[in-house]
Amino acid sequence: MVTTQDFKSRMHIDWCPGCGNFGILNALKRALTQLDIGPDGAVVVSGIGCSAKLPHFINLNGFHTLHGRALPAATGIKLAVDDLPVIAVTGDGDGLGIGGTHFIHTARRNVDIVHILHNNAVYGLTTGQAAPTTQRGMTTKTTPRGVVEEPIQPVPLALVSGATFVARTYVGDMEHCVETFKQAITHKGYALVDTLQPCVTFNKVYTYDFYNERVYHLRDVGHDPTDMKQAMLRGYEWGDRIPLGVFYQEEARPTLGDELPGLEKGPLCKRDISDVDISHLVRPMM
Ligand code: SF4
């Protein structure tokens, strides 16, 4: 039987005390445990940033890639090894700034992966610059007179890009976080979880108190996650009230792996390639 202790890493966790990343790490361990998925049963892929250290802090197959590139790497892994859940973790700068175009195309291709967006609305690892989700007016090292741009809204962006599972959770509500991660892992298709995680060191606006006073659950207001119009309206809601839960879910759409002609004979890792001659590719490099 899998326990959360199975995921304990030997690495020292160097996130700041109180950082919301701890909640994401713990929720992911609990979600995998409750789904009976052990350390060999899934892959976690990251880009660059505080969030990107997560594969080091969990005993799970992991790949720490380049800034903004977690989603294409996760796509490649999923197409090659189709029976492992693939979980991409990105920050908001990593996933929506440098990797913003990958976000759109991974959603429209319906790649069968989970995307946990560590959304703290600031660049934390580089010590507090404005990120794509930083609130208008907030002063940061790069915006000493306040941000003058509108923030990206990841939920509506995922919806219009064609994501088949779009949810938001908050690390201050651990049970909700675990349940949402479990739903995302068991969904077939691209699953975005916009995960609100305070950066206690560099974002003094989006704090635990800020969220605790505002979050509410979509399940408590009769939201229908099959209704795209409702999902869009709720997805734009941000301010005095912030919705948590599954905005939208669509089960029937084929994934990228279902439709790629090159994968008709199955994923690469299960194909017999012993008679494939690649010497003409290797020879020029010798
Ligand atoms: Fe967490 Fe912010 Fe510290 Fe990074 S800088 S570890 S996001 S609190």
Side-chain angles (χ1 to χ4, degrees):
M1 194 178 81
V2 179
T3 74
T4 52
Q5 285 305 306
D6 295 332
F7 297 104
K8 192 169 168 34
S9 161
R10 285 176 297 174
M11 296 286 288
H12 166 68
I13 300 180
D14 62 357
W15 287 325
C16 307
C19 173
N21 282 323
F22 284 100
I24 295 177
L25 177 64
N26 291 335
L28 182 58
K29 288 180 181 178
R30 286 177 56 182
L32 291 167
T33 301
Q34 289 177 26
L35 293 171
D36 204 27
I37 296 172
D40 293 329
V43 187
V44 65
V45 185
S46 67
I48 295 292
C50 293
S51 63
K53 299 179 184 179
L54 190 141
H56 300 269
F57 301 156
I58 186 168
N59 179 33
L60 187 66
N61 297 309
F63 188 17
H64 187 166
T65 70
L66 304 174
H67 206 186
R69 309 300 174 224
L71 294 178
T75 298
I77 293 168
K78 187 66 192 186
L79 295 180
V81 192
D82 70 337
D83 53 4
L84 284 185
V86 177
I87 301 157
V89 293
T90 75
D92 45 290
D94 184 37
L96 297 170
I98 297 91
T101 316
H102 295 309
F103 178 89
I104 293 167
H105 293 290
T106 308
R108 84 177 171 88
R109 290 171 179 149
N110 199 28
V111 183
D112 185 17
I113 63 170
V114 178
H115 179 186
I116 297 176
L117 181 74
H118 295 226
N119 189 351
N120 57 21
V122 75
Y123 282 100
L125 188 70
T126 47
T127 71
Q129 296 80 19
T133 50
T134 304
Q135 180 178 325
R136 194 177 171 94
M138 187 171 129
T139 56
T140 71
K141 286 182 177 170
T142 46
T143 57
R145 293 195 223 167
V147 173
V148 296
E149 300 148 323
E150 289 298 325
I152 286 180
Q153 308 251 14
V155 166
L157 181 60
L159 290 169
V160 298
S161 301
T164 52
F165 180 98
V166 182
R168 180 186 290 129
T169 190
Y170 163 50
V171 294
D173 186 342
M174 182 52 65
E175 294 310 316
H176 188 268
C177 215
V178 173
E179 284 308 313
T180 310
F181 287 175
K182 283 166 59 182
Q183 285 177 279
I185 292 168
T186 52
H187 173 76
K188 190 167 187 295
Y190 173 73
L192 171 74
V193 186
D194 178 24
T195 307
L196 306 176
Q197 58 106 164
C199 169
V200 294
T201 305
F202 295 111
N203 192 327
K204 304 300 184 187
V205 177
Y206 290 160
T207 62
Y208 288 99
D209 285 345
F210 177 92
Y211 288 128
N212 289 338
E213 289 165 9
R214 290 167 172 81
V215 293
Y216 76 93
H217 292 129
L218 288 169
R219 62 173 181 247
D220 294 339
V221 294
H223 177 71
D224 175 4
T226 66
D227 184 332
M228 172 62 84
K229 193 171 169 188
Q230 271 193 41
M232 286 298 291
L233 289 171
R234 294 282 181 192
Y236 274 112
E237 190 176 8
W238 185 271
D240 291 342
R241 280 165 59 77
I242 297 173
L244 303 181
V246 179
F247 292 83
Y248 184 72
Q249 184 167 19
E250 182 184 337
E251 301 277 10
R253 185 138 24 111
T255 67
L256 181 69
D258 291 335
E259 300 208 300
L260 272 186
L263 295 179
E264 274 169 355
K265 294 179 183 166
L268 300 178
C269 73
K270 293 177 185 160
R271 302 245 287 268
D272 179 8
I273 56 169
S274 54
D275 61 346
V276 176
D277 181 8
I278 58 168
S279 57
H280 62 290
L281 298 175
V282 176
R283 206 170 299 117
M285 293 185 268
M286 306 269 298

